[in-house]
Amino acid sequence: MEAQNSPNPFPRINQKKLESLQSGIDILELWIDNLVVNGIEQLSRDGSKIEEISTRMVDYGLSGIARKLRVIPEKLKLDKDWQEYCAELLAEFILFISAFRNQSKIKYHPEDILAYAGISIKKSEVISSSEGIIDHWILLGTMVDKEENLSIIRNWFIGKNTGIVFLSIDFQVGRFFNSKFFEFNKTYLDTVHFYPSAVKMRGTEVNIQNGIAAGEINLSGIYLEQALDKIAERVKICPWMNHQLFILKKLKFSILHHRLYLVSKNHEALICTNPDSYWLTLLSYSAYPEVNYIAEYIDKKFRILSVCIQGRIIPLKQK
């Protein structure tokens, strides 16, 4: 009875939905306990275990957890380090379970917890609950990911006047790709509202009809070391951040064992996931003294989306 009378730590969802999520989390915790006791290797021997638990997560409203679980079979087939990936994913789940149950004590932003669970907030709610920022938005880079029958398009923008960087996400269902195509070196005048989070990174869509030539684009870059410090600061308050973007200057590259790395002044090496067909292009850009590299950070790796040279943004085709 005491638990029922306690205030709802997630005001956006009703009590019935909250109870369903709690039940699903209990099931997820038991599943993790079983893996710990019987060994993570059982995932490679019996694929039905992943399908069963992911289906149950959807049934209880935890679609975000289900989506992450469904990545595991692909990792089993293609990634020799699948055990490391699974161990990190289980650690994420354990942190999520603890944060969900103890939100009032742990103090993570409730919307970050719900977003990780897969409970999205409506665009209309985002707009009605914030003032928004009006600016001339410039496209920095685009990435497309595919999950089964779903295309996820990430467009990164920066405000010409405010310097604010934000992520706009577009979802396309079906085989045919019909996303909005923003142009580089144009500005799009619009008001952007930010989704609630401890780190406001995602914003509402930009109106593609309002594009005009940007003129000379001046971007202010930071060193790789400064980007790593920002990543550490953000992860402390929002450990489930999926994507971040940085404008990096004076980058150094290194190729080792058929992999491309970004190297910091402190000799920290971080994997750069651009295909090897682009390595020479990236290395050649370093000949320009004022080049800025626009890099997306995800899963402890960087990917260069574009470069800014002499006031123009040059995109790299993504494969």
Side-chain angles (χ1 to χ4, degrees):
M1 293 296 294
E2 184 179 350
Q4 291 179 348
N5 293 331
S6 60
N8 184 348
F10 306 99
R12 186 162 62 83
I13 58 177
N14 59 38
Q15 188 64 31
K16 183 178 179 180
K17 177 69 172 179
L18 179 62
E19 290 172 2
S20 177
L21 295 175
Q22 289 170 335
S23 297
I25 286 171
D26 290 342
I27 292 169
L28 178 63
E29 185 177 47
L30 289 173
W31 184 79
I32 294 172
D33 289 344
N34 177 267
L35 278 184
V36 172
V37 171
N38 296 304
I40 206 170
E41 287 285 345
Q42 63 182 295
L43 294 178
S44 63
R45 296 192 296 267
D46 186 359
S48 64
K49 289 184 178 295
I50 298 171
E51 184 59 33
E52 179 185 349
I53 186 64
S54 60
T55 300
R56 297 194 75 185
M57 291 299 97
V58 171
D59 292 342
Y60 284 93
L62 294 161
S63 60
I65 302 296
R67 193 161 56 247
K68 291 178 180 295
L69 287 165
R70 286 173 178 154
V71 174
I72 294 177
E74 183 180 357
K75 291 288 184 181
L76 291 172
K77 292 178 184 177
L78 304 177
D79 194 342
K80 64 180 181 180
D81 298 324
W82 68 268
Q83 291 170 312
E84 179 181 347
Y85 171 83
C86 290
E88 290 182 356
L89 185 60
L90 294 181
E92 272 188 23
F93 288 166
I94 292 169
L95 178 59
F96 163 72
I97 291 169
S98 177
F100 191 95
R101 289 175 173 167
N102 304 285
Q103 198 277 329
S104 60
K105 297 178 181 178
I106 296 180
K107 298 297 184 183
Y108 289 129
H109 197 293
E111 289 297 337
D112 289 328
I113 300 172
L114 292 179
Y116 187 83
I119 305 163
S120 58
I121 183 171
K122 294 179 180 178
K123 178 182 174 181
S124 58
E125 294 180 56
V126 174
I127 293 174
S128 64
S129 62
S130 62
E131 291 185 5
I133 298 173
I134 187 169
D135 206 337
H136 295 268
W137 303 100
I138 300 170
L139 179 66
L140 292 175
T142 298
M143 273 297 296
V144 180
D145 287 334
K146 291 189 179 292
E147 293 182 4
E148 298 177 347
N149 204 34
L150 179 69
S151 295
I152 305 169
I153 304 96
R154 298 192 300 277
N155 289 310
W156 289 96
F157 293 89
I158 186 169
K160 186 175 183 179
N161 300 318
T162 61
I164 293 173
V165 173
F166 84 94
L167 170 64
S168 176
I169 302 178
D170 186 18
F171 297 93
Q172 295 286 327
V173 179
R175 294 169 51 195
F176 301 103
F177 189 76
N178 189 31
S179 179
K180 303 171 185 176
F181 288 97
F182 292 94
E183 295 183 52
F184 287 91
N185 302 299
K186 279 193 171 184
T187 65
Y188 297 88
L189 178 62
D190 205 354
T191 299
V192 170
H193 297 260
F194 285 81
Y195 285 71
S197 170
V199 181
K200 288 183 170 59
M201 188 69 66
R202 184 184 173 189
T204 52
E205 296 175 0
V206 171
N207 188 343
I208 198 170
Q209 303 299 325
N210 295 340
I212 61 173
E216 184 175 349
I217 298 171
N218 297 306
L219 300 180
S220 178
I222 62 174
Y223 293 105
L224 179 59
E225 295 77 14
Q226 294 173 297
L228 297 178
D229 287 342
K230 285 182 177 289
I231 291 167
E233 291 169 6
R234 291 169 177 173
V235 168
K236 282 182 183 178
I237 58 176
C238 184
W240 305 287
M241 280 194 74
N242 282 333
H243 309 94
Q244 301 183 50
L245 191 94
F246 297 97
I247 301 169
L248 302 174
K249 64 181 179 181
K250 300 189 183 302
L251 267 185
K252 292 185 178 180
F253 295 92
S254 177
I255 299 174
L256 183 64
H257 301 307
H258 306 291
R259 273 187 167 176
L260 182 67
Y261 291 87
L262 308 184
V263 183
S264 72
K265 291 181 180 178
N266 301 325
H267 305 293
E268 295 177 90
L270 291 101
I271 295 174
C272 183
T273 62
N274 291 83
D276 55 9
S277 57
Y278 288 97
W279 291 0
L280 287 178
T281 301
L282 287 170
L283 292 172
S284 68
Y285 283 137
S286 62
Y288 291 85
E290 302 302 323
V291 62
N292 282 315
Y293 296 85
I294 297 160
E296 186 181 56
Y297 179 82
I298 177 173
D299 292 335
K300 302 177 184 177
K301 301 171 185 175
F302 282 95
R303 187 183 187 101
I304 310 298
L305 303 184
S306 59
V307 296
C308 186
I309 300 174
Q310 298 176 342
R312 303 288 290 173
I313 294 177
I314 304 172
L316 273 69
K317 291 182 180 179
Q318 306 300 333
K319 295 182 179 179

